[in-house]
Amino acid sequence: MSGPADRDGVREVARSAARAFAEAGDLAALEEARVRFLGRKGEITALLRSIGELPLEERPAFGETINDLKSEIEGLFESRRSALGANGAEEDHFSGDATLPGRRATAGGTHVLRRVVSEMKAIFFGMGYSLAEGPDVELDYYNFEALNFPVDHPSRDLQDTFYVNRDILLRTQTSPVQVRYMERHRPPIRIIVPGRVYRNETPDPSHAAEFLQMEGLYVDRNVSLADLRNDIAFFARSFFGADAKVRFRPHFFPFTEPSAEVDMSCFSCGGSGCAICGRTGWIEIMGAGMVHPHVFRYAGYDPDAYTGFAFGIGIERTAMLKYGIDDIRRLLGNDLRFLGQFWSEAAPEVAR
Ligand code: PHE
C-alpha cells in the first residue's frame, strides 16, 4: 500500500488499478477490483487517511493529487464496465435464472379500423378516385350552410352538434369537404374523403360520439344516378365479396336530390333474414344522392353544366359488418385481446 512519503506510489496505484480492471473478465471480478481501489477500505481511502501524517503545508497539494487519482480510476472503472456490457444498474443486480426461456416480446399491429380504411382507399383509388381531406374543426358555413341545411334543421341543434362557438363546430359529417374541394378545383373531380366526425350522442352498441366516415364525390358532365349505383355496387362487391348486393331506399339529405340510404345484403344470413339484420336481410351502410344544385351554386359550379353524386360511408359500420362485430365501442377501446385478432392478416397499406 502506498504511504504519504511515497508520492511516486500514486502513479503506481493508477497503473495497478488499470491492470486489475483490464484483467477482470466479468462484472463480478471487476466489482472486486473496484472495491480494492475505490471501496470504503480501499487504496484511495488509505491514501486520503495518510494525509494526516504529512507536514501541514504539503497536505493541500497531496489531497488534490489523490482526488485526481480517484477520478482517473473511476473513469477507468466505468469504461471497463461498459466494455463488459453493463450499461445499467439492472445487470449489476441480475439474480434471475439465465437458463429460463425468454419471454416473447409482443408486437403491435394495424388497428382494424385503419385496415378497413386502407382497403376502402385501395378499392376507390382503383376506380379513379383520389384523396382529399378537410379540418375536423369546421365552420358552420361548410358543415351546414353551404350544404343547404335550413337554419332550423334539427341536426344543427346543440343536442347533435358540438359547437365551439356560434360559427365554429366539430364537423358532424365529412360532407363539408365536398364544398371546400369544389371551391378549389374545376370538374371533373372524383374524390374520397376519409375522416373523423363528431356527434353529441350517448354511446351505445351502434353509436359513438366520434366515428369515421368516408365521403365520396364525383362531378362531371352527365353523371347519373346509374353511375352512383354502379360505383357503390362495385365497391360493395370488392369489399364484401362477389355475392354482396346493395339496394337504394329513398331518403332525404338537404345537400342531395334525389337522396337514398344504401343497404347491403346481410353478411350473416346472406339476405334471408336473421337477428343481426333485424330479419330484413339488409343492413344500412351509407347515405348517398345526386349533388343538390344549391350546393353547386355555393361552391361556384354551374348546376346547368354539371351533375354529380356524393356518398358518405360509415367506416365503423362497414368494419362491424365485415367482421361481425356487435358493439362499436369495442373498436374505440383498448382491449388488445379484441384488437389483436385483426393483426395477423397484413393490411394493404396504400400510399397516399
Ligand atoms: N353526410 C351524410 C351523413 O352523415 C351522408 C351523406 C353523404 C349523404 C353524402 C349523402 C351524400 O349522414
Side-chain angles (χ1 to χ4, degrees), residues 71 219 238-239 303 343:
S71 329
V219 182
S238 308
F239 188 84
W343 290 348

Side-chain angles (χ1 to χ4, degrees), residues 172-175 178 199 213 215-216 253 255-256 259-260 286-289 310-313:
T172 61
Q173 48 188 353
T174 43
S175 305
Q178 291 183 29
R199 288 184 200 174
Q213 283 190 336
E215 194 81 6
F253 295 106
F255 43 96
T256 47
S259 303
M286 72 179 92
F311 55 83
I313 308 176

Side-chain angles (χ1 to χ4, degrees), residues 64-82:
E64 214 175 292
T65 311
I66 301 304
N67 280 330
D68 290 348
L69 174 69
K70 188 178 176 198
S71 329
E72 185 183 340
I73 293 178
E74 281 168 350
L76 290 169
F77 168 74
E78 285 304 335
S79 62
R80 182 62 182 153
R81 193 162 79 125
S82 47

Side-chain angles (χ1 to χ4, degrees), residues 91-170:
E91 286 85 348
D92 283 357
H93 302 298
F94 179 75
S95 58
D97 179 349
T99 64
L100 285 173
R103 242 173 252 157
R104 187 180 297 276
T106 42
T110 307
H111 193 283
V112 55
L113 287 177
R114 193 179 174 79
R115 253 206 18 225
V116 165
V117 171
S118 296
E119 266 175 56
M120 290 169 72
K121 278 159 105 179
I123 293 168
F124 282 109
F125 289 168
M127 295 162 76
Y129 286 78
S130 55
L131 190 82
E133 283 181 327
D136 288 27
V137 181
E138 184 54 282
L139 295 171
D140 178 277
Y141 175 80
Y142 288 110
N143 197 80
F144 290 131
E145 190 178 336
L147 289 171
N148 200 35
F149 277 74
V151 185
D152 58 356
H153 193 279
S155 65
R156 289 188 167 206
D157 200 292
L158 265 176
Q159 301 228 334
D160 296 307
T161 305
F162 290 115
Y163 282 91
V164 175
N165 60 35
R166 237 188 46 217
D167 303 320
I168 301 175
L169 44 75
L170 301 185

